[in-house]
């Protein structure tokens, strides 16, 4: 589907099935937008839409009409129409195959990049449902952000948004499941959020304190507490697996197991939750995993093990990911020059000034501050791969236990 990519047809708020975009990018966008509105002292809520059988309720005729408007014509259009028409699918489970069945006229074939891209084109104009709303979309997972000056106005805007988005889904052959669609009212203070009365066609839309979105548990206070609970459970299971493997694997293979079982879980979305109040719970489990693969007792000092094993500490993982993000988005930051000890004027990134403590800990604010602490000979490197390699080497040697240690 090069036509889609080359002509930049996809909505900028769509994160699914695109190179360089991930579920973490989508979650980061949601959090960034919410924090921005809270910083501006607005009331903000997010609607997390749930669709019933999303990929199985795609009207082929409507899809083909939309493709025509996007410039799919002639033989290319006919090929797609042929791909959809009279399509059959089967399923293999334990060497057993089901009978071939027609997928019908209201579904896209799953298991292929073509089917995924066709679905994206169908929902591509969802932002037209209401231009006043903010959208973050990952395939059929749609998050709609609503802001207002006060709670009563927020409630009114959410109700209006629910009606508009329900009409859009219905007009496009999809069904919004109102019972499983949830609303979160974000508020950073330690007070219970006001109840919002949200209804569509006399069906109450649930207001919740937290929700699992794209693998991340997002709560109304953005504390990441519940997400870290789930993360610790997963990491503890990985530790158990490492303890069972430790007696039989060589040091090299045991370290590979650490990266496969433990590090792959630890690193996901660390720039979102890595500065949460209870992040040390995760760090303690990482130390436990390190002692297991190093065949050391539970009370053995861990700092030397991080250095000898050449494994990044959790704060170092956060620093590395934050710096990679900042480097990829350097064009978005203002630069100024300061005089160094050897009288050279070096470019420094200017972090935005924010009032809320939660916002000051966000990646967009603390990221450039961390980046400014990297030695100039590393930031001056032109190749991203070399930049990451050198920075990682620096962090491995320091084995910092907090982000603040690195920034001193």
């Amino acid at each position: 589907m090069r036509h889609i990519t080359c002509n930049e047809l996809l909505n900028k708020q769509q994160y699914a099935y695109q190179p360089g975009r991930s579920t973490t990018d989508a979650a980061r966008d949601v959090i960034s937008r919410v924090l921005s509105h809270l910083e501006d002292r607005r009331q903000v809520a997010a609607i997390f839409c749930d669709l019933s059988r999303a990929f199985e309720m795609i009207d082929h005729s409507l899809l083909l009409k939309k493709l025509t408007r996007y410039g799919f014509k002639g033989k290319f259009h006919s090929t797609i129409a042929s791909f959809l028409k009279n399509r059959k699918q089967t399923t293999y489970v334990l060497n057993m195959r089901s009978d071939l069945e027609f997928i019908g006229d209201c579904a896209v074939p799953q298991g292929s990049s073509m089917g995924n891209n066709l679905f994206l084109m169908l929902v591509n104009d969802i932002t037209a449902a209401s231009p006043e709303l903010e959208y973050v979309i990952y395939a059929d997972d749609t998050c709609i952000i609503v802001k207002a000056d006060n709670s009563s106005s927020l409630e009114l805007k959410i109700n209006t948004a629910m009606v508009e988005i329900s009409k859009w889904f219905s007009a496009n052959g999809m069904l919004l499941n109102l019972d499983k669609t949830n609303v979160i009212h974000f508020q950073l203070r330690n007070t219970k959020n006001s109840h919002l009365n949200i209804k569509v066609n006399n069906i109450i839309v649930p207001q919740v304190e937290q929700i699992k979105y794209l693998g991340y548990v997002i709560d109304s206070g953005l504390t990441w507490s519940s997400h870290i609970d789930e993360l610790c459970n997963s990491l503890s299971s990985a530790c158990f697996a490492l303890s069972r493997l430790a007696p039989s694997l060589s040091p090299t293979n045991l370290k590979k197991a650490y990266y496969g079982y433990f590090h792959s879980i630890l690193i996901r979305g660390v720039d979102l939750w890595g500065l949460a109040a209870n992040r040390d719970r995760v760090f303690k489990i990482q130390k436990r995993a390190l002692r297991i693969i190093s065949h050391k007792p539970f009370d053995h000092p861990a700092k030397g093990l991080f250095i000898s094993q050449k494994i990044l500490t959790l704060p170092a993982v956060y620093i590395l990911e934050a710096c990679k993000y900042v480097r990829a988005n350097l064009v978005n930051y203002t630069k100024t020059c300061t005089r160094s000890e050897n009288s050279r004027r070096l470019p420094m990134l200017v972090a935005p000034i924010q009032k809320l403590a939660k916002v000051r800990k966000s990646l967009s604010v603390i990221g450039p501050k961390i980046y400014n602490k990297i030695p100039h000979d590393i930031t001056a490197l032109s190749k991203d791969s070399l930049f990451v390699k050198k920075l990682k080497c620096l962090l491995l040697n320091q084995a910092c236990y907090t982000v603040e240690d690195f920034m001193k």
Side-chain angles (χ1 to χ4, degrees), residues 325-335 349 371:
Y325 172 82
V326 171
R327 186 174 174 88
N329 295 275
L330 283 175
V331 294
N332 298 327
Y333 292 99
T334 303
K335 295 181 181 180
L349 303 183
Y371 194 85

Side-chain angles (χ1 to χ4, degrees), residues 162-181:
M162 288 301 307
V163 172
E164 291 172 335
I165 202 69
S166 296
K167 287 181 178 179
W168 187 92
F169 280 123
S170 178
N172 285 270
M174 289 173 277
L175 178 62
L176 181 64
N177 189 338
L178 296 175
D179 293 330
K180 294 184 179 180
T181 293

Side-chain angles (χ1 to χ4, degrees), residues 255 258-259 262-263 266 286 289-290 293-294 303 305-314 316-317 392 395-397 399:
K255 191 173 178 180
Y258 166 85
Y259 280 105
F262 193 94
H263 189 77
L266 178 75
Q286 188 193 23
L290 187 66
I293 67 172
S294 302
K303 189 158 189 173
L305 299 179
F306 279 110
I307 296 174
S308 61
Q309 290 281 4
K310 295 184 178 180
I311 290 176
L312 293 174
T313 62
L314 174 61
V317 171
K392 186 176 180 180
L395 294 170
L396 285 171
N397 291 329

Side-chain angles (χ1 to χ4, degrees), residues 210-262:
Q210 64 183 41
I211 191 171
K212 194 162 190 177
Y213 176 68
L214 302 177
Y216 297 97
V217 183
I218 300 175
D219 61 273
S220 59
L222 297 180
T223 66
W224 296 101
S225 179
S226 295
H227 180 79
I228 288 177
D229 286 342
E230 288 198 4
L231 182 62
C232 287
N233 289 336
S234 299
L235 292 175
S236 294
S237 298
C239 272
F240 176 76
L242 290 173
S243 67
R244 299 301 296 267
L245 292 171
S248 57
L249 290 184
S250 67
T252 300
N253 287 333
L254 191 55
K255 191 173 178 180
K256 289 180 180 178
Y258 166 85
Y259 280 105
Y261 283 102
F262 193 94

Side-chain angles (χ1 to χ4, degrees), residues 80-97:
I80 296 174
S82 176
F83 174 77
L84 294 171
K85 187 176 181 180
N86 297 326
R87 194 79 179 184
K88 294 181 180 180
Q89 282 192 326
T90 185
T91 302
Y92 283 92
V93 178
L94 299 176
N95 296 323
M96 298 290 291
R97 191 185 77 174

